[in-house]
Amino acid sequence: MKIRAAVLKASPVSAPYAKSRPLSIEEVDLAPPGPGEVLVRVRAAGLCHSDLSVIDGNRLRPVPMVLGHEAAGEVVEPGPGVQDLKAGDRVIMVFVPSCGHCSPCSEGRPALCEPGNAANGVGELLAGGRRLSLGGQPVHHHVGVSAFAEYAVISRHSLVKLEADIPHEIAALFGCAVLTGVGAAVNTAKVRAGETVAVVGLGGVGLSALLGAAACGASRVIAVDLSDEKLAVARELGATDTFNAGDPGVIDAIRAATKGGVDHGLEMAGSVKALDLAYQITRRGGTTTTAGLANPAHTLSLSPVRLVGEERTLKGSYVGSCIPMRDIPRFVDLYLRGKLPVDKLMTSQSGLDGINEGFDALHEGRTIRHVIMM
């Protein structure tokens, strides 16, 4: 079938994107779903820094590629062998398919699925190959989803059925921002009631982590960012303290305010400088968790004596250490009960034709989540 999609033909591309136009809206060919795959009509897709990092070259992916990984939609046609989804079912897309058979999957860590990550790295679906083409040439899938399009063929292992009746634009956020941010607080850091938490980097993922920490019962939730506007949003979402990361004395100020540092420092900015800040404000015996994907060429310098002598823990969190089939319904339930007001993360919307301008807003920090409505 012929569909409209936003195609990235080269990387890196520099901002402003309204002028450089990295994503061109093309009519591409989409093959029907194969065994274990599903044809989905995309209804809403959020713009995330993980998409932006492919555009600006911080994360290398094969091109041409249809980007987009945080999305929600409706099943149009289940492929052969898919028995548990039918036309009309609402689904949330997950950016790491889980095969269910490799060692990480068998250990309950589907975010680390080995075949899933291998397929994502080469721009293919879990079963192998590509279902997208332009002018007879293959077009790569972005992390098995490619949601900046009217329709997508996706592995059943990349979909979670949505039972709740919530708007598509809100449902989309659960596929990345909420899954990654709330999951980092709940699953990776395992924040407990009464503990103190600092979140460094207040994009969609960071603010989701803040909501997750508050939902866990943290006694203090400290928000840290370079943007005073985002710090104001953090206060509206329940931050007990806010600090501007650009303040030369911010580390000392936070350590003084918390009497030696926080129990949990959560880095969500995707920069080594932010990770170092999160580590410096974590107390002796505390845990620093990072879900930010910094440039792969950048490295973090740590003192091993301090790591040992202070019994510090530094942890990575991918997909929020989540089991999506379990956690997405739980997080949606918390949203419906008013415990995770993730609807407040959405700041703007546009159609597919406004996608480059949307990435300018993301790049410049003018939006938390811009959602493309199909």
Side-chain angles (χ1 to χ4, degrees):
M1 63 187 296
K2 299 283 188 182
I3 65 169
R4 293 176 76 239
V7 182
L8 179 70
K9 295 182 178 179
S11 175
V13 181
S14 299
Y17 302 120
K19 181 178 292 185
S20 59
R21 315 301 291 181
L23 295 169
S24 59
I25 309 305
E26 307 276 358
E27 185 177 75
V28 303
D29 290 297
L30 180 65
E37 297 172 351
V38 182
L39 174 63
V40 176
R41 181 178 181 182
V42 181
R43 290 293 193 175
L47 307 192
C48 175
H49 273 92
S50 294
D51 303 301
L52 182 58
S53 68
V54 180
I55 295 172
D56 65 20
N58 276 320
R59 189 151 299 276
L60 298 177
R61 295 287 184 184
V63 292
M65 173 176 279
V66 174
L67 294 181
H69 66 284
E70 178 185 85
E74 297 171 351
V75 172
V76 176
E77 178 190 352
V82 178
Q83 303 292 331
D84 57 343
L85 289 176
K86 64 183 186 302
D89 283 346
R90 305 175 74 216
V91 289
I92 292 173
M93 302 164 207
V94 179
F95 60 92
V96 177
S98 52
C99 72
H101 304 294
C102 67
S103 293
C105 284
S106 65
E107 294 168 357
R109 306 179 74 185
L112 303 182
C113 175
E114 292 167 347
N117 278 279
N120 283 358
V122 295
E124 297 184 352
L125 295 187
L126 184 62
R130 303 164 187 85
R131 311 295 175 262
L132 294 162
S133 60
L134 177 62
Q137 299 300 312
V139 174
H140 298 86
H141 297 269
H142 185 216
V143 291
V145 178
S146 290
F148 295 153
E150 295 172 321
Y151 295 85
V153 168
I154 301 175
S155 169
R156 173 64 185 90
H157 299 292
S158 295
L159 298 171
V160 174
K161 185 177 178 180
L162 176 63
E163 303 286 357
D165 185 19
I166 62 177
H168 292 288
E169 59 270 29
I170 303 304
L173 305 182
F174 286 86
C176 178
V178 177
L179 199 63
T180 301
V182 176
V186 173
N187 295 326
T188 315
K190 292 182 170 59
V191 175
R192 295 179 295 184
E195 292 185 319
T196 56
V197 179
V199 180
V200 182
L202 301 177
V205 174
L207 288 170
S208 293
L210 186 150
L211 293 175
C216 288
S219 60
R220 291 179 78 173
V221 183
I222 298 169
V224 187
D225 198 274
L226 292 167
S227 166
D228 288 333
E229 290 78 10
K230 289 183 177 178
L231 292 172
V233 173
R235 286 191 290 272
E236 293 176 7
L237 293 178
T240 57
D241 311 78
T242 58
F243 293 85
N244 193 299
D247 181 350
V250 65
I251 292 174
D252 290 338
I254 295 173
R255 291 182 65 85
T258 55
K259 296 181 172 58
V262 295
D263 297 303
H264 297 278
L266 307 181
E267 185 275 315
M268 304 288 154
S271 86
V272 171
K273 189 172 182 179
L275 178 54
D276 182 67
L277 192 158
Y279 188 78
Q280 297 299 332
I281 62 176
T282 302
R283 69 169 178 82
R284 292 168 59 91
T287 299
T288 306
T289 299
T290 174
L293 291 170
N295 187 307
H298 297 174
T299 58
L300 177 69
S301 177
L302 294 176
S303 165
V305 171
R306 187 177 180 190
L307 183 68
V308 174
E310 297 183 2
E311 289 196 356
R312 301 284 293 279
T313 301
L314 176 61
K315 303 178 73 173
S317 177
Y318 194 50
V319 200
S321 304
C322 284
I323 301 174
M325 296 290 288
R326 175 197 70 188
D327 290 329
I328 287 180
R330 290 180 177 179
F331 295 163
V332 169
D333 182 63
L334 287 172
Y335 163 71
L336 292 172
R337 291 164 52 200
K339 303 295 185 181
L340 286 177
V342 301
D343 53 305
K344 296 181 180 179
L345 304 179
M346 189 179 63
T347 49
S348 55
Q349 296 181 20
S350 74
L352 196 58
D353 292 324
I355 194 167
N356 289 300
E357 290 76 9
F359 274 113
D360 272 330
L362 182 65
H363 173 69
E364 295 164 10
R366 293 186 281 111
T367 186
I368 296 168
R369 266 302 187 265
H370 179 92
V371 177
I372 301 296
M373 302 298 294
M374 304 298 173

